[in-house]
Amino acid sequence: MALLAAECLSRRYGRTEALKEASFVIGDRRCIALLGPNGAGKTTTLSILAGLLKPTSGKLEADGRLAADRRQWMGFLPQQPAFFGWMTGFETMVSAGQLCGLSTHEAKERAETLLKTVGLRESAHRRVSGYSGGMKQRLGLAQAVVHRPRLLLLDEPVSALDPIGRRDVLDMLAAWKKEMTVLLSTHVLHDAEQVCDELILMNKGRVVMQGDMDALRETTGRPFLKIVVEDDGPSIRWLKSLKGLPGTTIAESGTFHCHLMAEDMNALRKTVLRGALEEGVKLQAFEMARKSLEQWFIEAVRA
């Protein structure tokens, strides 16, 4: 079931087109990575979804069973959240809950629970002006879900966190996606791989693709035989001769290495290894490998 569908969204800032006819679908109870390099249009997209910006053209359609006012079922955490420094973390949370329609009692209970969840229980009654950047990021994350949204929008949610904080937040998102849809922007593919079920790849304001993470791994991860030889004349000549193997594709090659692909990879491995042993080739590496998602991401962005 789709919570939200975007159709040909565009956004101009003067002569600059930050978003160019972007179309995508946001499903229910999933974690989706909005992936792309800096300047790809991720923040602009999130701001439009959150209702902070109006698209120059295009439209958004939400599930008809949800309230027309998206703020009632949507939470948003900008990359650099801002707070009233004179308030404590607890007061900030209670105020946010009341603004979202919770009673004072509900807001206080929710504040206590979430501050503990994000690791700020010991700092709950300190003024936010004394919080570090990472603590403010955690507070912003708690504030964004105080009203139990159906859709949580996060702009670079772990950018200000140390490695332990990053791990904590990713674990939280993995748990929260069972109750809500999480859409997070990032340019760090490793973070997306850790927790996301799906990705939307953006580059230069356009949506390059949208797909399931597992399906993408299968598509981009076609195995190849990686061969590396020493700087030895006979070994290098043997390596060059592999280009003539029937039914074989050279995925990549250099003076001392090559990547071979074939329909029957087991047969290819046996044939090549037998030839290397017979020719006395000095091998440095001989292994089955796959293209990583990071390699795929770099190639897709540069294409």
Side-chain angles (χ1 to χ4, degrees), residues 1-11 19-27 32 34 41-42 44-51 53-63 70 73-74 151 153 183 198 200 202 205-210:
M1 182 181 66
L3 286 181
L4 202 59
E7 184 178 342
C8 296
L9 290 181
S10 296
R11 171 70 190 193
L19 198 60
K20 306 173 184 177
E21 298 186 343
S23 298
F24 52 88
V25 176
I26 298 174
I32 306 170
L34 190 61
K42 303 187 299 294
T44 298
T45 299
L46 289 179
S47 296
I48 290 174
L49 295 180
L53 283 178
K54 290 185 177 181
T56 306
S57 61
K59 62 180 181 179
L60 280 172
E61 290 189 1
D63 184 338
R70 295 200 299 275
W73 48 270
M74 187 179 291
L151 175 60
L153 306 175
L183 176 64
E198 189 176 334
I200 300 171
M202 298 190 69
R206 298 186 183 277
V207 172
V208 178
M209 70 154 293
Q210 177 174 7

Side-chain angles (χ1 to χ4, degrees), residues 243-300:
K243 296 180 180 180
L245 283 177
T248 301
T249 301
I250 304 293
E252 183 179 315
S253 66
T255 304
F256 307 110
H257 81 281
C258 72
H259 296 172
L260 301 178
M261 301 175 73
E263 289 298 323
D264 189 341
M265 292 301 295
N266 286 328
L268 174 65
R269 179 165 49 185
K270 291 177 182 178
T271 299
V272 173
L273 184 57
R274 187 182 302 113
L277 292 173
E278 290 175 353
E279 298 292 329
V281 174
K282 297 177 181 178
L283 292 172
Q284 283 192 339
F286 185 87
E287 61 180 334
M288 296 292 287
R290 292 177 181 268
K291 182 190 295 185
S292 68
L293 280 178
E294 183 175 359
Q295 289 174 304
W296 167 83
F297 170 65
I298 293 171
E299 291 173 6

Side-chain angles (χ1 to χ4, degrees), residues 3-4 62-63 66-75 147-152:
L3 286 181
L4 202 59
D63 184 338
L66 297 173
D69 186 351
R70 295 200 299 275
R71 291 175 298 179
Q72 295 183 29
W73 48 270
M74 187 179 291
H147 58 310
R148 295 182 175 88
R150 289 287 300 277
L151 175 60
L152 177 61

Side-chain angles (χ1 to χ4, degrees), residues 125-200:
H125 298 287
R126 284 173 50 189
R127 289 187 178 183
V128 177
S129 59
Y131 281 15
S132 66
M135 292 169 72
K136 289 178 180 178
Q137 198 85 354
R138 289 170 179 264
L139 180 61
L141 193 61
Q143 183 179 260
V145 298
V146 69
H147 58 310
R148 295 182 175 88
R150 289 287 300 277
L151 175 60
L152 177 61
L153 306 175
L154 306 173
D155 193 0
E156 303 283 358
V158 295
S159 59
L161 300 176
D162 58 28
I164 295 175
R166 294 173 78 93
R167 183 69 265 167
D168 288 345
V169 169
L170 293 176
D171 288 343
M172 280 186 273
L173 298 184
W176 286 351
K177 72 180 182 179
K178 299 175 183 177
E179 305 172 8
M180 66 187 80
T181 293
V182 180
L183 176 64
L184 69 137
S185 75
T186 181
H187 58 271
V188 182
L189 184 57
H190 181 263
D191 291 344
E193 286 188 87
Q194 293 296 304
V195 71
C196 293
D197 309 294
E198 189 176 334
L199 67 80
I200 300 171

